[in-house]
mmCIF file of all heavy atoms in Angstrom:
data_model
loop_
_atom_site.group_PDB
_atom_site.id
_atom_site.type_symbol
_atom_site.label_atom_id
_atom_site.label_comp_id
_atom_site.label_asym_id
_atom_site.label_seq_id
_atom_site.Cartn_x
_atom_site.Cartn_y
_atom_site.Cartn_z
ATOM 1 N N ARG A 1392 -213.356 -97.354 27.004
ATOM 2 C CA ARG A 1392 -213.385 -98.841 26.944
ATOM 3 C C ARG A 1392 -212.097 -99.436 27.252
ATOM 4 O O ARG A 1392 -211.965 -100.364 28.087
ATOM 5 C CB ARG A 1392 -213.884 -99.267 25.570
ATOM 6 C CG ARG A 1392 -213.694 -100.744 25.253
ATOM 7 C CD ARG A 1392 -214.152 -101.020 23.800
ATOM 8 N NE ARG A 1392 -213.576 -100.052 22.860
ATOM 9 C CZ ARG A 1392 -214.058 -99.698 21.702
ATOM 10 N NH1 ARG A 1392 -215.238 -100.085 21.349
ATOM 11 N NH2 ARG A 1392 -213.454 -98.787 20.965
ATOM 12 N N ASP A 1593 -227.334 -98.372 26.436
ATOM 13 C CA ASP A 1593 -226.530 -97.169 26.064
ATOM 14 C C ASP A 1593 -227.538 -96.025 25.799
ATOM 15 O O ASP A 1593 -228.704 -96.230 25.710
ATOM 16 C CB ASP A 1593 -225.838 -97.497 24.701
ATOM 17 C CG ASP A 1593 -224.713 -96.488 24.342
ATOM 18 O OD1 ASP A 1593 -224.481 -95.602 25.144
ATOM 19 O OD2 ASP A 1593 -224.303 -96.508 23.208
ATOM 20 N N LYS A 1595 -227.459 -93.242 23.015
ATOM 21 C CA LYS A 1595 -226.725 -92.826 21.846
ATOM 22 C C LYS A 1595 -226.812 -91.295 21.537
ATOM 23 O O LYS A 1595 -225.807 -90.747 21.040
ATOM 24 C CB LYS A 1595 -227.167 -93.623 20.661
ATOM 25 C CG LYS A 1595 -226.698 -95.049 20.664
ATOM 26 C CD LYS A 1595 -225.876 -95.418 19.476
ATOM 27 C CE LYS A 1595 -225.043 -96.653 19.638
ATOM 28 N NZ LYS A 1595 -225.836 -97.882 19.226
ATOM 29 N N GLY A 1607 -221.102 -91.627 19.968
ATOM 30 C CA GLY A 1607 -220.595 -92.904 20.327
ATOM 31 C C GLY A 1607 -221.318 -93.563 21.561
ATOM 32 O O GLY A 1607 -221.217 -94.739 21.765
ATOM 33 N N GLY A 1608 -222.010 -92.661 22.305
ATOM 34 C CA GLY A 1608 -222.642 -93.177 23.514
ATOM 35 C C GLY A 1608 -222.415 -92.178 24.653
ATOM 36 O O GLY A 1608 -221.209 -91.762 24.920
ATOM 37 N N PHE A 1650 -220.768 -108.134 20.304
ATOM 38 C CA PHE A 1650 -221.687 -107.200 20.997
ATOM 39 C C PHE A 1650 -222.956 -107.294 20.102
ATOM 40 O O PHE A 1650 -222.906 -106.915 18.936
ATOM 41 C CB PHE A 1650 -221.008 -105.776 20.871
ATOM 42 C CG PHE A 1650 -221.821 -104.642 21.187
ATOM 43 C CD1 PHE A 1650 -221.127 -103.543 21.826
ATOM 44 C CD2 PHE A 1650 -223.093 -104.435 20.697
ATOM 45 C CE1 PHE A 1650 -221.880 -102.356 22.087
ATOM 46 C CE2 PHE A 1650 -223.811 -103.320 20.994
ATOM 47 C CZ PHE A 1650 -223.172 -102.196 21.727
ATOM 48 N N GLU A 1664 -227.890 -104.524 15.457
ATOM 49 C CA GLU A 1664 -226.565 -104.489 14.814
ATOM 50 C C GLU A 1664 -225.688 -105.422 15.661
ATOM 51 O O GLU A 1664 -226.015 -105.855 16.801
ATOM 52 C CB GLU A 1664 -225.925 -103.177 14.897
ATOM 53 C CG GLU A 1664 -225.744 -102.702 16.337
ATOM 54 C CD GLU A 1664 -224.724 -101.491 16.514
ATOM 55 O OE1 GLU A 1664 -224.047 -101.151 15.569
ATOM 56 O OE2 GLU A 1664 -224.742 -100.950 17.620
ATOM 57 N N ASN A 1666 -221.490 -105.779 16.811
ATOM 58 C CA ASN A 1666 -220.124 -105.183 16.865
ATOM 59 C C ASN A 1666 -219.180 -106.292 17.233
ATOM 60 O O ASN A 1666 -219.584 -107.229 17.949
ATOM 61 C CB ASN A 1666 -220.004 -103.982 17.893
ATOM 62 C CG ASN A 1666 -220.986 -102.853 17.449
ATOM 63 O OD1 ASN A 1666 -220.964 -102.458 16.309
ATOM 64 N ND2 ASN A 1666 -221.663 -102.366 18.363
ATOM 65 N N ARG A 1668 -216.521 -106.298 19.236
ATOM 66 C CA ARG A 1668 -215.676 -105.731 20.326
ATOM 67 C C ARG A 1668 -216.559 -105.328 21.519
ATOM 68 O O ARG A 1668 -217.667 -105.318 21.408
ATOM 69 C CB ARG A 1668 -214.918 -104.561 19.757
ATOM 70 C CG ARG A 1668 -215.902 -103.653 18.995
ATOM 71 C CD ARG A 1668 -215.718 -102.294 18.924
ATOM 72 N NE ARG A 1668 -216.735 -101.670 18.156
ATOM 73 C CZ ARG A 1668 -217.801 -101.075 18.703
ATOM 74 N NH1 ARG A 1668 -218.005 -101.051 19.990
ATOM 75 N NH2 ARG A 1668 -218.711 -100.498 18.007
ATOM 76 N N PHE A 1669 -215.849 -105.034 22.647
ATOM 77 C CA PHE A 1669 -216.658 -104.450 23.761
ATOM 78 C C PHE A 1669 -217.319 -103.132 23.282
ATOM 79 O O PHE A 1669 -216.677 -102.364 22.507
ATOM 80 C CB PHE A 1669 -215.695 -104.039 24.873
ATOM 81 C CG PHE A 1669 -215.239 -105.186 25.740
ATOM 82 C CD1 PHE A 1669 -213.969 -105.816 25.485
ATOM 83 C CD2 PHE A 1669 -216.142 -105.743 26.748
ATOM 84 C CE1 PHE A 1669 -213.558 -106.844 26.334
ATOM 85 C CE2 PHE A 1669 -215.668 -106.773 27.528
ATOM 86 C CZ PHE A 1669 -214.408 -107.387 27.345
ATOM 87 N N GLY A 1670 -218.440 -102.774 23.890
ATOM 88 C CA GLY A 1670 -219.033 -101.438 23.634
ATOM 89 C C GLY A 1670 -218.366 -100.398 24.504
ATOM 90 O O GLY A 1670 -217.709 -100.667 25.435
ATOM 91 N N ASP A 1671 -218.433 -99.199 24.016
ATOM 92 C CA ASP A 1671 -217.912 -97.999 24.659
ATOM 93 C C ASP A 1671 -219.027 -96.953 24.672
ATOM 94 O O ASP A 1671 -219.428 -96.541 23.629
ATOM 95 C CB ASP A 1671 -216.698 -97.511 23.925
ATOM 96 C CG ASP A 1671 -215.963 -96.443 24.627
ATOM 97 O OD1 ASP A 1671 -216.633 -95.758 25.618
ATOM 98 O OD2 ASP A 1671 -214.850 -96.101 24.329
ATOM 99 N N PRO A 1672 -219.635 -96.731 25.805
ATOM 100 C CA PRO A 1672 -219.361 -96.971 27.214
ATOM 101 C C PRO A 1672 -220.048 -98.215 27.873
ATOM 102 O O PRO A 1672 -220.149 -98.165 29.068
ATOM 103 C CB PRO A 1672 -219.776 -95.714 27.892
ATOM 104 C CG PRO A 1672 -221.037 -95.217 27.101
ATOM 105 C CD PRO A 1672 -220.830 -95.781 25.744
ATOM 106 N N GLU A 1673 -220.344 -99.273 27.116
ATOM 107 C CA GLU A 1673 -220.866 -100.459 27.861
ATOM 108 C C GLU A 1673 -219.849 -101.129 28.667
ATOM 109 O O GLU A 1673 -220.158 -101.667 29.787
ATOM 110 C CB GLU A 1673 -221.425 -101.478 26.799
ATOM 111 C CG GLU A 1673 -222.779 -101.163 26.137
ATOM 112 C CD GLU A 1673 -222.838 -100.201 24.933
ATOM 113 O OE1 GLU A 1673 -221.632 -99.641 24.725
ATOM 114 O OE2 GLU A 1673 -223.737 -100.036 24.341
ATOM 115 N N ARG A 1761 -215.604 -87.088 23.793
ATOM 116 C CA ARG A 1761 -215.982 -87.737 25.093
ATOM 117 C C ARG A 1761 -214.659 -87.679 25.888
ATOM 118 O O ARG A 1761 -213.656 -88.231 25.508
ATOM 119 C CB ARG A 1761 -216.414 -89.261 24.797
ATOM 120 C CG ARG A 1761 -217.807 -89.257 24.107
ATOM 121 C CD ARG A 1761 -218.350 -90.600 24.085
ATOM 122 N NE ARG A 1761 -217.677 -91.533 23.237
ATOM 123 C CZ ARG A 1761 -217.982 -92.845 23.141
ATOM 124 N NH1 ARG A 1761 -219.051 -93.320 23.747
ATOM 125 N NH2 ARG A 1761 -217.317 -93.637 22.370
HETATM 126 N N1 LIG B 821 -221.889 -97.786 22.669
HETATM 127 C C1 LIG B 821 -222.048 -98.411 21.367
HETATM 128 C C2 LIG B 821 -220.842 -98.931 20.782
HETATM 129 O O1 LIG B 821 -219.837 -99.113 21.383
HETATM 130 O O2 LIG B 821 -220.811 -99.132 19.558
#
Side-chain angles (χ1 to χ4, degrees):
R1392 165 185 48 211
D1593 191 9
K1595 285 240 164 86
F1650 168 143
E1664 62 161 349
N1666 295 313
R1668 44 153 180 97
F1669 282 100
D1671 187 342
E1673 281 86 349
R1761 292 191 292 178

